[in-house]
Amino acid sequence: MSTFKTLDDLGDVTGKVALVRVDLNLPMQDGAVTDDTRIRAAVPTINDLCEKGAKVLLLAHFGRPNGERVSTMSLSMVVGAVEKVLGKEVMFVPEIAGPVVEQSVGILRPGDVAILENTRFWKGEEKNDPDLIKAIAANGDFYVNDAFSAAHRAHATTDGLAKALPAYAGRSMQAELEALDKALGNPVKPVAAVVGGAKVSSKLDVLKHLVTQVDHLIIGGGMANTFLAAKGVDVGKSLCEHDLTGTANEILAAADSSGCTVHLPYDVVVSKEFAANPPSLRTCNVHEVAADEMILDAGPAAAEALGDVLKTCRTLVWNGPLGAFEMAPFDAATVALAKTAAALTIEGTLTSVAGGGDTVAALNHAGVAKDFTYISTAGGAFLEWMEGKELPGVAALLV
Ligand code: ADP
Ligand code: MG
């Protein structure tokens, strides 16, 4: 794995100022934080730095204020939630650079924490502007990036600062990079990838990259319909991108030439209406879908066969559910395969890494998210990583 410095590489930082990029883009409703997962993800890094006696300045963005001060997007709103999780007082600083930050640093004692204002209130953040980077860096001694979820952006606080100051990966960033390296960077073979979800068009680059990297590519969800159509299967009224069947065939050919076996379902669960437990529900062979039916899940035989594929593999990377898992019983194949992956992980034969908003929801629904080796909550950054792209925020940390 390409190397980066971690908090273990820090010397004596007593009284030194750490500029720490975290993810505080928290889900909020009526001014209250509804899910503190992202705050909890930052705790190991914050506590580690506090114990080392640093003064911790947290940098984060919230929403899309587009370079303007928008009071409803002020990070002052999350201070209470962060204090609750950390169990101590946190100072709020309504700037990210300049004399106000300098004075605040003077007031902070070693081990204290402050949250600076929403970095996206300044136009220079998203422009990775050298003047802004210099101004922020002037108040810090070193930089820590603990926001993998923002690493696909080359912004001042994700990229520029890492080059302006000695840079370190925080604990969450470190865990994410180590897990991703085990899944696709330097995986134990054979490797399986599950790619599902609604549309091929949203994950074309993921598919193109994966066929060159993995031994088994399992395609599910609405995406499978486009591939089935490309193979001449009549998918009826299923969600299907008929204009992409040519692309699907190219991906199948690329898989073939790089020795990647593509798995598509051969039995499916169909219905005439897009609803939970519909009266027209039935399971059939993929070649028996009627013109007025929709494929909404992989069938039980396919789910079992896919489980058998996982039993022959040592590494799994998963993005996208196998069916419309939000409605019963179209969650069945996703739940079954998730349970198999979890059991193999517990037995120790499989390293399992999953990511994606709906994927994490589906694995939680199956009750197995905790059993996977690693679950990424990074969304866009996770997908760009699955596309094989270099993430600027990660590249900037490499030594
Ligand atoms: P993620 O957020 O994990 O990247 P996606 O957003 O790509 O996943 O896909 C999830 C969505 O795909 C879910 O809303 C699910 O209902 C939908 N989906 C899966 N299979 C089908 C299908 N056969 N027909 C219609 N929608 C489907
Ligand atoms: Mg989604």
Side-chain angles (χ1 to χ4, degrees), residues 23 27 49 54 59 63 85 95 101 111 122 135 152 168 190 193 196 221 236 258 313 373 377:
D23 183 353
L49 290 167
L59 288 162
V85 174
E95 300 287 340
V101 178
W122 286 267
H152 56 316
Y168 302 84
S258 37
C313 291
T373 309
T377 53

Side-chain angles (χ1 to χ4, degrees), residues 5-21 45-46 48-50 52-59 136-145 161-170 397:
K5 288 194 193 141
T6 71
L7 302 186
D8 298 325
D9 297 308
L10 282 171
D12 181 13
V13 293
T14 313
K16 295 265 195 291
V17 180
L19 287 166
V20 186
R21 183 58 158 94
T45 293
I46 297 172
D48 198 331
L49 290 167
C50 289
K52 288 182 160 77
K55 300 180 180 184
V56 177
L57 301 186
L58 301 179
L59 288 162
I136 303 172
N139 287 313
D141 294 301
F142 63 101
Y143 167 81
V144 177
N145 191 347
L161 274 182
K163 293 165 180 164
L165 289 172
Y168 302 84
L397 292 177

Side-chain angles (χ1 to χ4, degrees), residues 196-198 202-203 221-222 225 239 274 295-297 319-326 355-360 383:
S202 64
K203 292 178 186 173
N225 302 337
L239 174 65
F274 193 75
I295 301 172
L296 290 171
D297 196 15
N319 169 260
L322 297 182
F325 76 98
E326 298 93 336
D358 291 293
T359 309
V360 177
L383 273 182

Side-chain angles (χ1 to χ4, degrees), residues 22-28 32-46 78 81-82 84-86 146-149 172-173 176 357 360-361 364 369 374-379:
V22 291
D23 183 353
L24 292 178
N25 201 20
L26 307 169
M28 310 257 312
V33 173
T34 54
D35 180 354
D36 63 7
T37 308
R38 286 172 169 167
I39 303 175
R40 284 186 281 111
V43 168
T45 293
I46 297 172
V78 310
V82 174
K84 204 165 145 196
V85 174
L86 284 179
D146 210 25
F148 177 81
S149 56
S172 285
M173 174 70 92
E176 181 103 23
V360 177
N364 279 324
Y374 190 78
I375 300 277
S376 174
T377 53

Side-chain angles (χ1 to χ4, degrees), residues 297 318 322 325 330-341 362 365-368:
D297 196 15
W318 186 335
L322 297 182
F325 76 98
F330 307 111
D331 58 339
T334 304
V335 169
L337 195 63
K339 285 189 170 160
T340 302
H365 168 72
V368 299

Side-chain angles (χ1 to χ4, degrees), residues 8 31 36 46 71 82 105 116 118 149 153 180 278 309 338 366 385:
D8 298 325
D36 63 7
I46 297 172
S71 59
V82 174
V105 167
L116 307 191
N118 186 347
S149 56
R153 312 271 188 233
L180 298 188
V309 171
W385 165 78

Side-chain angles (χ1 to χ4, degrees), residues 79-170:
V79 172
V82 174
E83 286 182 327
K84 204 165 145 196
V85 174
L86 284 179
K88 67 182 193 184
E89 242 178 81
V90 171
M91 179 194 266
F92 177 69
V93 183
E95 300 287 340
I96 57 171
V100 174
V101 178
E102 196 186 333
Q103 283 154 21
S104 305
V105 167
I107 296 166
L108 292 174
R109 293 154 306 175
D112 282 350
V113 180
I115 299 177
L116 307 191
E117 185 53 287
N118 186 347
T119 56
R120 289 193 183 166
F121 282 4
W122 286 267
K123 288 196 169 59
E125 162 72 330
E126 292 182 65
K127 291 192 177 129
N128 207 4
D129 173 51
D131 292 334
L132 182 66
I133 293 163
K134 223 171 129 186
I136 303 172
N139 287 313
D141 294 301
F142 63 101
Y143 167 81
V144 177
N145 191 347
D146 210 25
F148 177 81
S149 56
H152 56 316
R153 312 271 188 233
H155 292 172
T157 63
T158 62
D159 176 67
L161 274 182
K163 293 165 180 164
L165 289 172
Y168 302 84

